[in-house]
Amino acid sequence: VAIDEVEAALSAFEVRGRGEPAEHWAIGGPSLILNLREEVNGMAVVDVADHVWPDEMGDPDNEPEIFAAWAGGQFGPFTFPGGLARATDQSWVWEEAAEGQARHLAFSRVRTSYAIGAGEDEPVVPEDYDPDEELDFVTRVAAALLELPGALCYFNPNGEVLRDQDALLESLNFGWSNELPPLDAWSNVRLFRINEDWSLMDTVGNAQYDLPDLEACYFNDAYEPSDVDNLLRNITLYLLQEGEVIEDGDTLDGPGGVVWQVMLVDDPLCDPPRDVLRWIPLDDRPVPDEVTQTGDDEEGDEDSGADAAGEADEAE
């Protein structure tokens, strides 16, 4: 897509100027610089990469430029290898995600910065930085880019979310009309099998709000996945309003009319690596060993037993 077409699609935004391509496309292609918050040097850089999304994020030996760009946050500050594949597998709203992902040939990035052209003593982010405000701006830019001919979908790599245009606009409009942040456009809720009897539902992407992600582990036949989904979203909204006030061992009334208790854990049961709060219902059922591990001195998620092949009918 030519940068002139991108500028036409973003006519509703204030364009500060254009940027030249970097030496390697992974760092930056032809770009536009949009005004985000001029009073604190806030801007958004929208560039075009004539390449497929490098989902493995490069190799230090064979693809050092891509690997270095990923390590430097050029594909998103919380992006982890395999994120597009996981987002495709866990796309419960957009059923054609796999088909759309397979067709894509290029991508456009929307990245924010407060440091471009700033002095050495200037802060990386302003004191009144608001992640919700910034995410809203970035998502509105992405929604405008979806008007371009040939645009397939919106991908938030930090939250591993895939949406086509209709699903993204539905999420944004619901949030705006109800004065709620459009969490499902920014962070995904995923479903995995721990074993034959237990499931894991988790969020990915809460780090964008400077909050931990959430895991809920439960006996399959005892709880409706939709109720567990609502639990995770409601806890996220509570944390957004109150901050990180949940402590290890805290409880709340959850799905099934059961009290659920939280564990603070160092390692999630499934990629990507991140801080999580793990919720377990206190229903007197024996809990699998991998669920009760906190991550201290454990080997990580390779031995967790969680299976990425979640059932679509369960997620509904």
Side-chain angles (χ1 to χ4, degrees):
V1 178
I3 197 66
D4 288 342
E5 296 177 78
V6 173
E7 184 167 10
L10 300 179
S11 59
F13 298 87
E14 181 183 349
V15 178
R16 286 194 187 185
R18 292 194 179 192
E20 294 296 322
E23 292 185 6
H24 194 278
W25 64 266
I27 300 296
S31 62
L32 295 175
I33 302 173
L34 307 182
N35 187 36
L36 171 59
R37 292 184 60 198
E38 189 172 7
E39 72 277 10
V40 289
N41 197 43
M43 60 193 77
V45 179
V46 183
D47 76 329
V48 178
D50 190 17
H51 296 266
V52 297
W53 179 261
D55 205 29
E56 295 307 313
M57 293 296 138
D59 178 271
D61 296 322
N62 300 321
E63 298 174 311
E65 295 89 356
I66 297 176
F67 182 82
W70 167 64
Q74 300 300 334
F75 296 104
F78 307 110
T79 301
F80 193 72
L84 180 56
R86 289 189 296 274
T88 304
D89 290 339
Q90 297 282 341
S91 179
W92 308 110
V93 174
W94 183 32
E95 295 182 356
E96 293 79 24
E99 177 187 350
Q101 188 261 21
R103 291 170 54 202
H104 103 276
L105 300 173
F107 62 91
S108 181
R109 280 178 293 196
V110 186
R111 295 171 289 177
T112 59
S113 175
Y114 300 90
I116 297 176
E120 292 183 2
D121 297 330
E122 295 296 323
V124 176
V125 294
E127 291 184 2
D128 61 348
Y129 164 75
D130 183 347
D132 183 54
E133 180 183 80
E134 185 173 306
L135 280 165
D136 178 76
F137 182 88
V138 166
T139 312
R140 286 192 290 111
V141 173
L145 292 173
L146 285 177
E147 295 290 343
L148 286 166
L152 295 172
C153 65
Y154 157 88
F155 174 46
N156 180 325
N158 304 287
E160 300 189 1
V161 176
L162 273 174
R163 294 284 188 275
D164 66 354
Q165 184 178 36
D166 290 342
L168 177 62
L169 292 179
E170 180 180 355
S171 174
L172 296 178
N173 288 331
F174 178 84
W176 292 331
S177 62
N178 291 278
E179 298 184 351
L180 293 170
L183 296 182
D184 57 347
W186 298 340
S187 58
N188 203 2
V189 169
R190 311 179 303 176
L191 180 63
F192 303 91
R193 288 282 192 180
I194 295 174
N195 58 35
E196 185 176 341
D197 297 320
W198 279 69
S199 290
L200 160 72
M201 190 171 285
D202 71 356
T203 68
V204 58
N206 282 5
Q208 296 169 103
Y209 331 129
D210 302 324
L211 294 173
D213 273 306
L214 309 172
E215 294 180 333
C217 303
Y218 59 93
F219 191 80
N220 298 329
D221 296 336
Y223 305 94
E224 290 293 330
S226 59
D227 293 337
V228 181
D229 183 315
N230 288 335
L231 172 71
L232 297 181
R233 292 301 193 193
N234 286 333
I235 294 173
T236 298
L237 286 171
Y238 175 76
L239 291 172
L240 280 170
Q241 295 169 357
E242 304 296 332
E244 291 191 60
V245 295
I246 296 176
E247 299 181 356
D248 189 73
D250 283 353
T251 59
L252 55 74
D253 294 330
V258 174
V259 172
W260 291 56
Q261 188 170 43
V262 70
M263 299 169 53
L264 306 187
V265 298
D266 295 328
D267 293 316
L269 290 171
C270 292
D271 281 338
R274 63 209 192 279
D275 295 331
V276 296
L277 303 176
R278 183 175 300 158
W279 294 89
I280 304 169
L282 300 180
D283 56 11
D284 296 325
R285 289 183 172 86
V287 180
D289 289 341
E290 55 264 45
V291 171
T292 59
Q293 295 171 357
T294 64
D296 295 330
D297 300 322
E298 303 295 344
E299 293 185 3
D301 72 42
E302 288 187 358
D303 299 322
S304 69
D307 182 355
E311 296 291 339
D313 57 346
E314 289 182 303
E316 291 172 358

